[in-house]
Amino acid sequence: MASVQQLSAIKDAKVLMVGAGGIGCELLKTLALSGFQDIHIIDMDTIEVSNLNRQFLFRQSHVGQSKAKVARDAVLRFRPKINIKSYHANVKDSNFNVDFFKQFSVVLNGLDNLDARRHVNRLCLAADVPLVESGTTGFLGQVTVHIKGKTECYECQPKPAPKTYPVCTITSTPSKFVHCIVWAKDLLFAKLFGDKNQDNDLNVRSNDTATSSEHSEDIFEPRKDEDIQQYANRIYDHVFGHNIQTALSNEETWKNRNKPRPIYVKDVLSDEPIQQNGNVDKLLANDNLSSLSAMAYLGLKNPQDIWSLKENSRVFFAALKLFFSKRQKEIGNLTFDKDDPLAVEFVTAAANIRAASFNIPLHSLFEAKGIAGNIVHAVATTNAIIAGLIVIEAIKVLQNDAKNCRMTYCLQHPSRKMLLMPVEPFEPNKSCYVCSETPLLLEVNTNRAKLRDLVEKVVTSKLGMSLPLIAHGSGLLYEVGDDLGKDEVANYEANLEKVLSELPYAITGGTIITVEDLQQELVCNINIKHREEFDEEKEPDGMVLHGWTPAAPAAENNKEPTDNNGASTSSTSKPASADVMEADDDELSIVEPGVETLPAGGKKRKLSDVPNSEAPIDEKRAKKIPEENNVIVMLDDGNDDDITAS
């Protein structure tokens, strides 16, 4: 039974919810039933069919509509007297600024990406509004409380853990199915359907190809008088045949590895000429692009079946032909989307053909989609538990009862006979550049690096600033904003191409620059240290930033992926389904969202030394903390070679 004080705090509170998805639906319902009278919801997403199995406020008839608006309407049907305001918008929009956040008593996050979480964290700090964070993945969940000056902020500790693979592993020596997925999604799919001008290592995989005029050309450029089938055959033979054959010419590479086998069209489909497949032509008559499916006309109905090499090849050709015949206008601008059936079919087929070449076990479309699209099969009960914990902590915050706030972790298996593990909040990290305003140190060659490098490699990518301003003393070097005049924009654009030491207000060794985000109201100072040389392999950016919280390094593993009731349980400390981005010319980074880490030894200082307080969660359990809703998260259960997607 709630006390009078609690009821008063609840009734008077004005709450901002960010996110109306899996956690958000449960949270809005729990807030309404707990007596909250004034609730605002921000969510930019629309409802998809895949949401309906757990986001219970939505129905089939709501597909395509705003999540925030439908959630509001659904709750008002059983709590008609409370005030709920919905915003179908991005929380990073300029109208959701510090002044907007200041009107709320507490902010409750139910987001699914790190960038938005960091943004909300900074706005809450600037507005001095408490933030309750949350995340779930499968049976795991967490709720954390962030109060300015009293507890650590969301960015006091590193969040994502990057895993890098050398490009040569992806393109020449894959040993895991994740390598094949990365190759198919971020190299082959991007080369065929994305920006043709992007750097890509697929054309030739040998230094001795200049003697072959056929392979010195851009193999991915369609030739004159070449139909789609001929083009598809040529691409197939090049990437699965010629490139493998070329790689085999380097005997040194295969001394301690199993040699792959080149695969050509004639070897797989010699008994079934592809150009005579009439099913494709039937599908071409369908103008509904969203329903295009290579599986449909091939009679492949079960996405959990593992296709043979022949079936994968047929899907590859059919999907490629459909893209070029029915979606021609999109070619050149496409990026992989897990919700695009044709894209998923193409990537699955291409990855499986490559896997077959390298003697790697094939996977079903269901598994491949999970790996390629960051899919975790959500558990509605976990969302409900986490939503309840969010409300419990929010009520404590509203009563100014910070000493009794807890970070709570929902575990899949009991620890100390508990499935819910409460931990005292940690105090602010004094070296956090976000909440403690500690200066950063940047080592950079000021005679070689341009301002553009500083903006792209540090200010936006590492510091996560959306509307950055860079100043040296009283001199303004760069600014982004809608209120700038044409002359100002031109001036700042010109500065981007100048070397740091040649800027109007020169940046050299010993300089202190100020970097500010106008929307987040975040300001940090960066001390510049000139350095001549950098290790291209270890320091690919050509600059090193000290004082921020980079991702914790992930360990390598050597196990092959396995499956668990259709969910990917692949590889180790890296979820195979993690986002992949090209970091530089030498390696690909696989970002593992959602790995919470502790300092060495798993110890942190506490906000207070409360007698008989709960013992801190140990390091292995801390690594089980999910940070993303609907992403795969590394689990450390004592076996460094397992990763589970619940």
Side-chain angles (χ1 to χ4, degrees), residues 178-234:
V178 59
H179 297 157
C180 300
I181 286 287
V182 172
W183 177 88
K185 178 168 75 113
D186 289 85
L187 295 181
L188 183 59
F189 185 90
K191 187 68 176 178
L192 284 170
F193 310 118
D195 184 359
K196 298 290 184 183
N197 297 320
Q198 68 176 335
D199 292 332
N200 200 303
D201 206 27
L202 285 181
N203 274 27
V204 178
R205 288 301 306 151
S206 170
N207 293 326
D208 189 26
T209 55
T211 56
S212 172
S213 59
E214 179 183 353
H215 297 295
S216 60
E217 64 176 325
D218 184 353
I219 199 73
F220 292 91
E221 190 66 30
R223 298 170 182 168
K224 292 182 179 179
D225 303 323
E226 183 179 49
D227 64 26
I228 296 175
Q229 192 60 61
Q230 291 170 328
Y231 174 71
N233 287 358
R234 183 160 57 83

Side-chain angles (χ1 to χ4, degrees), residues 457-526:
K457 297 178 180 179
V458 174
V459 176
T460 57
S461 65
K462 288 185 172 64
L463 302 185
M465 294 192 174
S466 303
L467 296 174
L469 177 152
I470 302 175
H472 177 195
S474 60
L476 199 56
L477 296 171
Y478 181 72
E479 185 178 2
V480 176
D482 296 332
D483 57 344
L484 299 178
K486 291 184 179 179
D487 292 342
E488 290 177 303
V489 172
N491 182 50
Y492 295 143
E493 287 292 329
N495 281 349
L496 286 175
E497 303 308 322
K498 294 179 181 178
V499 173
L500 296 178
S501 60
E502 298 175 359
L503 287 164
Y505 302 91
I507 297 177
T508 58
T511 297
I512 299 176
I513 63 173
T514 300
V515 183
E516 179 178 357
D517 189 293
L518 303 176
Q519 184 180 5
Q520 299 171 353
E521 294 195 11
L522 172 66
V523 180
C524 65
N525 293 320
I526 303 178

Side-chain angles (χ1 to χ4, degrees), residues 234-309:
R234 183 160 57 83
I235 296 300
Y236 187 104
D237 283 347
H238 178 79
V239 297
F240 301 121
H242 168 75
N243 280 1
I244 304 299
Q245 195 73 56
T246 301
L248 285 170
S249 64
N250 188 347
E251 292 291 337
E252 191 70 25
T253 302
W254 310 106
K255 277 188 176 181
N256 300 310
R257 294 183 176 94
N258 293 325
K259 291 185 177 182
R261 65 183 177 100
I263 300 175
Y264 294 92
V265 177
K266 61 182 177 61
D267 301 327
V268 181
L269 298 173
S270 57
D271 61 333
E272 182 184 337
I274 302 168
Q275 60 268 26
Q276 295 180 9
N277 187 346
N279 293 309
V280 176
D281 297 326
K282 293 179 182 178
L283 198 62
L284 294 181
N286 185 359
D287 291 327
N288 185 2
L289 300 184
S290 64
S291 67
L292 289 178
S293 168
M295 288 181 64
Y297 71 84
L298 289 174
L300 302 172
K301 298 179 180 179
N302 188 350
Q304 297 197 42
D305 286 342
I306 296 178
W307 303 331
S308 66
L309 176 58

Side-chain angles (χ1 to χ4, degrees), residues 23 27 109-111 114 117 132-146 152-154 157-159 382-391 393 406-412 419-423 426 593-598 604 617 621-629 633-635:
I23 294 175
L27 179 57
N109 262 0
L111 288 162
L114 181 63
R117 282 188 163 111
V132 182
E133 258 292 353
S134 65
T136 66
T137 180
F139 293 102
L140 305 178
Q142 72 172 44
V143 173
T144 57
V145 180
H146 307 282
E152 67 177 10
C153 79
Y154 179 74
Q157 300 298 331
K159 293 299 186 296
T382 311
N383 290 337
I385 293 170
I386 292 302
L389 291 170
I390 292 171
V391 175
E393 296 306 320
R406 293 291 180 268
M407 303 190 301
T408 306
Y409 306 112
C410 181
L411 309 178
Q412 183 172 359
L419 284 172
L420 297 179
M421 178 70 71
V423 182
F426 304 131
V595 182
E596 178 82 49
T597 60
L598 290 180
K604 284 187 182 178
I617 195 167
R621 287 299 179 188
K623 288 182 180 177
K624 290 190 174 185
I625 302 167
E627 283 295 336
E628 307 286 347
N629 187 22
V633 175
M634 181 179 77
L635 307 185

